[in-house]
Amino acid sequence: MSAVPSLTEFELAAQSLAEVISHTPTLPSRALSDIHGGTVLLKMENLQRTGSFKIRGAAYRLSRLSAEERSRGVVAASAGNHAQGVALAAQALGIPATIFMPLGVPVPKLLATRGYGAEVVLEGETVATSLRLAAEFSERTGAVLIHPFDHRDVVIGQGTLGLELLEDAPDVDTVVLGIGGGGLIAGVAAAVKARAAELGRTVRIIGVQAENAAAVPPSLAAGEPVDIVTRPTIADGILVARPGAIPFDIIKELVDEVVTVSDDDLARAILILLEQAKVVVEPAGAAGVAAILAGKVSGTGTTMAVLSGGNIDPLLLQRVVSHGLAASGRYLTIRVPLPDRPGQLARVSELIAEAGANVIEAMHTRHGHGLQISEVILELSVETRGPEHSEHTLDTLRRAGFEPILVAD
């Protein structure tokens, strides 16, 4: 059997999933088109059932289980999106499901997984640990392990998204989407390339990884999947130390380019999607938009960014928005040394108001920071309209004789 699934396999999978998944909208983004210099479309898979593309692969994988396998139940490991997909698919098919999740899993994802009827086991610090525990559970109980990306049926299920992309936008030239373990991009690349060839066209596929968890570039260099040491990233949905063997074979053959983005890039993407597109997207789901904003996606024609998931913890969203504002030069924290005499706080506030900026938070202290007895420190969080306005605000304070110090976010 070929490593790359056929177009027929994707079409049959799409038929079998028709009653399970939603055909999510594809909408143009004027703001991103202006930034990119060409038409940008958003495939809003964040509006999919369970809030993520993961339901496609999970549901298709479970639908292919035999009656005997279903009787044994299924087990999976996930930080959230795969867990919800497996739980919902198992509930629909009447299959007992056990999901191992790491201790730090976002509460909304935990509650949603339990809400779909799965038994959730919270254990371990990382998804890798949860996956090991799920595999041990499978060996011990006979439950079928549903891997989040390294299985042919999962890749085919995820690839049904590729058929939708070309159905929605048959003239698309470039598709940009995030890569974790590789199941989504492998399926989409195979389906899109096959359908485009049938239409006599070519479509570029660009994968995006968080720079703190970018295992695919070194794997491509080595010609096989390799392990990397990951660092923390807000994009927990693509925090994977090694791409799956099955997806990697397809990525190596069909994905045209792989780029990386920073957490600042991801935060900016979430912010612009909130403000301009009016949609909520999790960090991993915003990877394609982050790459566009960072200037990592070149070429003319129509570009489609896949918003692969929208399951973000509200507390994380609050932090990400603040970080995104800072990364966009619209939110700055400054520390202003002042002589300890009346009226200084009022004078600084007046100058900031004259500059057209807005003070969000203020702290006035006589303690710490190596202060002399006659000095105080004023620390301010200030909202501005962008980098130029931020610099204008700082210059206004400097011209008045103050020495503002920019505090890193």
Side-chain angles (χ1 to χ4, degrees):
M1 182 180 293
S2 169
V4 179
S6 68
L7 183 57
T8 299
E9 289 178 279
F10 290 116
E11 291 171 338
L12 291 173
Q15 291 173 18
S16 74
L17 292 175
E19 300 300 319
V20 179
I21 64 172
S22 301
H23 185 125
T24 51
T26 295
L27 300 176
S29 170
R30 182 177 299 175
L32 287 171
S33 298
D34 290 343
I35 292 168
H36 182 54
T39 301
V40 175
L41 304 175
L42 301 175
K43 178 59 173 174
M44 303 178 73
E45 196 69 359
N46 58 308
L47 301 180
Q48 184 57 259
R49 294 188 67 184
T50 74
S52 162
F53 73 94
K54 287 285 190 177
I55 183 63
R56 295 175 182 269
Y60 188 61
R61 171 80 171 94
L62 265 63
S63 74
R64 303 264 291 170
L65 295 178
S66 67
E68 187 274 332
E69 287 173 319
R70 295 185 186 193
S71 69
R72 286 153 40 197
V74 297
V75 59
S78 167
N81 288 341
H82 179 60
Q84 292 175 70
V86 171
L88 178 59
Q91 183 184 62
L93 294 170
I95 303 173
T98 302
I99 311 291
F100 285 81
M101 305 182 83
L103 291 169
V105 64
V107 172
K109 294 183 178 183
L110 169 63
L111 296 178
T113 304
R114 284 179 171 159
Y116 292 130
E119 180 181 346
V120 176
V121 180
L122 287 173
E123 192 171 348
E125 298 297 327
T126 66
V127 175
T129 301
S130 297
L131 191 56
R132 176 178 58 79
L133 294 171
E136 292 172 357
F137 181 90
S138 175
E139 288 287 330
R140 189 169 63 250
T141 66
V144 179
L145 178 64
I146 308 299
H147 198 280
F149 49 82
D150 205 8
H151 192 280
R152 186 180 175 84
D153 287 341
V154 172
V155 170
I156 292 171
Q158 316 299 29
T160 59
L161 177 58
L163 300 183
E164 280 188 26
L165 299 185
L166 285 181
E167 183 180 340
D168 292 348
D171 61 344
V172 69
D173 297 286
T174 302
V175 177
V176 190
L177 65 165
I179 308 178
L184 175 63
I185 196 167
V188 167
V192 166
K193 298 271 186 178
R195 178 68 87 202
E198 188 180 70
L199 298 172
R201 303 188 62 250
T202 59
V203 178
R204 283 196 313 155
I205 305 293
I206 299 179
V208 186
Q209 291 208 285
E211 62 183 23
N212 286 351
V216 172
S219 296
L220 289 171
E224 61 183 7
V226 298
D227 288 288
I228 63 162
V229 176
T230 62
R231 291 173 291 159
T233 173
I234 59 173
D236 62 323
I238 51 175
L239 180 56
V240 178
R242 178 189 179 95
I246 292 171
F248 181 75
D249 284 343
I250 301 172
I251 291 170
K252 184 168 58 175
E253 182 176 343
L254 297 180
V255 173
D256 297 280
E257 188 178 357
V258 177
V259 301
T260 62
V261 293
S262 68
D263 275 11
D264 279 355
D265 296 329
L266 292 164
R268 279 193 292 267
I270 291 170
L271 184 61
I272 198 169
L273 286 167
L274 274 172
E275 290 188 320
Q276 301 295 332
K278 315 304 179 190
V279 295
V280 177
V281 181
E282 62 189 276
V289 171
I292 292 171
L293 293 176
K296 301 289 182 75
V297 180
S298 60
T300 57
T302 300
T303 297
M304 182 179 293
V306 177
L307 308 184
S308 57
N311 294 316
I312 185 169
D313 187 325
L315 294 176
L316 174 61
L317 179 60
Q318 182 181 30
R319 297 199 304 273
V320 167
V321 168
S322 296
H323 194 86
L325 287 169
S328 300
R330 294 168 51 194
Y331 185 93
L332 65 157
T333 300
I334 55 176
R335 194 172 288 150
V336 187
L338 301 173
D340 190 7
R341 62 173 183 262
Q344 296 300 296
L345 173 58
R347 179 60 180 147
V348 170
S349 298
E350 180 183 356
L351 288 166
I352 290 174
E354 287 177 5
N358 184 39
V359 175
I360 302 299
E361 191 173 18
M363 183 182 73
H364 185 273
T365 180
R366 293 181 172 86
H367 307 292
H369 304 288
L371 296 173
Q372 302 298 318
I373 292 175
S374 60
E375 292 179 321
V376 298
I377 281 286
L378 177 62
E379 187 165 298
L380 299 171
S381 297
V382 180
E383 182 183 25
T384 68
R385 294 187 295 273
E388 292 183 3
H389 188 211
S390 293
E391 191 57 37
H392 171 67
T393 302
L394 294 171
D395 284 342
T396 300
L397 292 171
R398 293 182 187 119
R399 286 195 300 270
F402 295 101
E403 299 179 359
I405 301 165
L406 192 61
V407 179
D409 179 62

